[in-house]
Amino acid sequence: MVALYRASLEKLRRGPSTPTAAPSGFRPPSPPLASGTASRRLAFHGSAGGLFGIHIVNALCTLLTLGLYFFWGKVRVRAYLLGETELEADRFAYHGTGRELLIGFAKGVAVFFIPVALMSILPQLYGAPAPVTSALATLLWITGLLLVPIAMVGARRYRLSRTSWRGVRFSFRGRVREFVGIFVVGTILTSLTLGIYYPIFATQRQAFMIAHSYFGSRAFGFDGRGRDLLGPFLTMILLFVPTLGLSWFWFSARRQRYFTEHTRFGTTTFRSAVTGGRLAWLQISNVVALVLTVGLAWPWTVVRALRFQLRYVRLEGPLDVADVQQDAQAATATGEGLAGLLDADFGVS
């Protein structure tokens, strides 16, 4: 295990084939393929054994430091997974630090978690009247409804700002207020319609996250419409009981294909070939593996899921990034820390 861990660290030290930082105005070289019919895939070169070595060392160090090393361990895992992912013969890179994650977590606890915890505990501790308890419960629900979208935006902003390819940083530039509006209205309408509004809500969230994401100076695009998924979603509901819930995997694959195929980057489009059966097998077998091994299979399930995701996605059309310039954006890890407290990632990594 130590040998595997050292080997993985050596790969991380080598980093991607080009520098991970670049001055303003940097123009990355054009990739060798520029044909309109060119098809590209991302590749993952890591292994479950390499991640397992990192995971074991992280677990031991976290125990020895009474949990403090957890944030540095998370950075090592992210750096390994991104550093082993390749597009057009160049690796991605992760630039976050454990110190940033620790400070972000501390801010999340101080600014959000402690006040919310006090509002929950103090009324019970001092025997507050029923009207006061009810009012505080409503306030807590509203607070949670607002904190989740704030955490989601903050986490995505931080993670993209710490990710690069060919030395150019990604970034996220969506406004928190706009996403809070989408999230609050979508949550309420989904509840009032007994879930029927969900496809529209999910598509609005995806559109916001993709359309405000950038690689250097160029934005990604998304042109999906929620009503296109309404029919498949209703079909999934009708078949849910007869299929013992397996229809959900069919809808999840359909949604994944739709979101992927309506995403673009300049003249580059994306395609997905994932199917419900394959997705069901992946997720169910991963859960079974984790249960049977009491969590020890976690590295294997992570690598397996990542390879699965990359296997069924391809990029089509010219990938011309010659005019993309470095345009890194500042971001703190407060939203990342809050997302960890609320378990509100929702796929923003």
Side-chain angles (χ1 to χ4, degrees):
M1 292 186 296
V2 173
L4 288 172
Y5 180 64
R6 288 178 176 174
S8 65
L9 286 183
E10 181 60 28
K11 289 181 180 180
L12 292 178
R13 291 190 190 100
R14 291 197 302 266
S17 58
T18 55
T20 57
S24 177
F26 171 78
R27 291 175 178 265
S30 299
L33 294 177
S35 170
T37 59
S39 181
R40 304 164 179 80
R41 295 182 184 273
L42 291 96
F44 181 72
H45 299 285
S47 67
L51 185 58
F52 182 75
I54 295 174
H55 180 58
I56 291 299
V57 173
N58 284 349
L60 292 175
C61 291
T62 300
L63 288 174
L64 292 175
T65 59
L66 301 179
L68 186 62
Y69 188 81
F70 169 79
F71 304 98
W72 281 263
K74 181 181 288 190
V75 167
R76 288 191 180 278
V77 170
R78 290 180 179 177
Y80 178 78
L81 294 177
L82 275 173
E84 295 294 339
T85 303
E86 179 184 278
L87 173 64
E88 291 289 277
D90 284 298
R91 306 274 181 109
F92 290 82
Y94 182 72
H95 308 273
T97 67
R99 181 174 180 273
E100 289 176 341
L101 295 183
L102 175 60
I103 293 175
F105 179 81
K107 288 181 178 179
V109 169
V111 176
F112 300 106
F113 185 74
I114 291 179
V116 169
L118 290 177
M119 283 194 296
S120 302
I121 297 172
L122 291 181
Q124 304 295 330
L125 186 63
Y126 290 100
V132 174
T133 303
S134 178
L136 285 175
T138 302
L139 180 60
L140 283 172
W141 182 82
I142 295 174
T143 301
L145 189 61
L146 296 176
L147 287 182
V148 169
I150 292 173
M152 291 172 67
V153 169
R156 187 169 181 85
R157 193 185 311 278
Y158 173 76
R159 294 177 197 181
L160 285 185
S161 73
R162 298 304 188 269
T163 303
S164 70
W165 181 66
R166 291 187 171 177
V168 178
R169 297 286 185 108
F170 291 82
S171 64
F172 181 74
R173 308 179 191 185
R175 299 179 61 183
V176 173
R177 180 182 300 179
E178 182 181 351
F179 188 66
V180 167
I182 293 172
F183 190 88
V184 171
V185 172
T187 300
I188 293 174
L189 289 179
T190 300
S191 299
L192 292 177
T193 60
L194 302 179
I196 294 177
Y197 189 76
Y198 169 76
I200 299 174
F201 177 32
T203 304
Q204 289 175 339
R205 281 172 24 188
Q206 183 76 2
F208 180 86
M209 291 298 182
I210 296 298
H212 293 93
S213 298
Y214 284 71
F215 173 62
S217 56
R218 183 187 295 173
F220 286 81
F222 184 83
D223 59 2
R225 303 174 303 174
R227 62 177 180 267
D228 294 338
L229 290 175
L230 188 57
F233 183 73
L234 294 176
T235 302
M236 180 275 296
I237 293 176
L238 292 174
L239 297 175
F240 192 83
V241 174
T243 62
L244 302 179
L246 292 177
S247 63
W248 172 256
F249 295 104
W250 170 82
F251 172 74
S252 295
R254 176 71 178 83
R255 179 187 57 190
Q256 185 173 327
R257 292 196 304 270
Y258 184 83
F259 285 172
T260 301
E261 292 166 4
H262 286 271
T263 299
R264 65 184 183 279
F265 179 71
T267 55
T268 305
T269 57
F270 298 79
R271 294 290 181 267
S272 173
V274 66
T275 64
R278 293 166 181 166
L279 185 62
W281 168 248
L282 170 77
Q283 296 186 355
I284 293 174
S285 58
N286 276 357
V287 170
V288 171
L290 289 172
V291 171
L292 293 179
T293 63
V294 198
L296 290 177
W298 176 81
W300 178 75
T301 60
V302 169
V303 169
R304 185 168 177 247
L306 180 56
R307 282 181 173 161
F308 178 90
Q309 183 178 4
L310 299 183
R311 183 184 308 129
Y312 294 109
V313 174
R314 66 182 187 275
L315 288 68
E316 292 187 346
L319 183 60
D320 185 6
V321 293
D323 62 339
V324 173
Q325 297 185 351
Q326 183 76 281
D327 192 12
Q329 302 288 305
T332 69
T334 305
E336 171 78 5
L338 182 58
L341 287 170
L342 298 175
D343 191 22
D345 287 355
F346 291 121
V348 299
S349 57

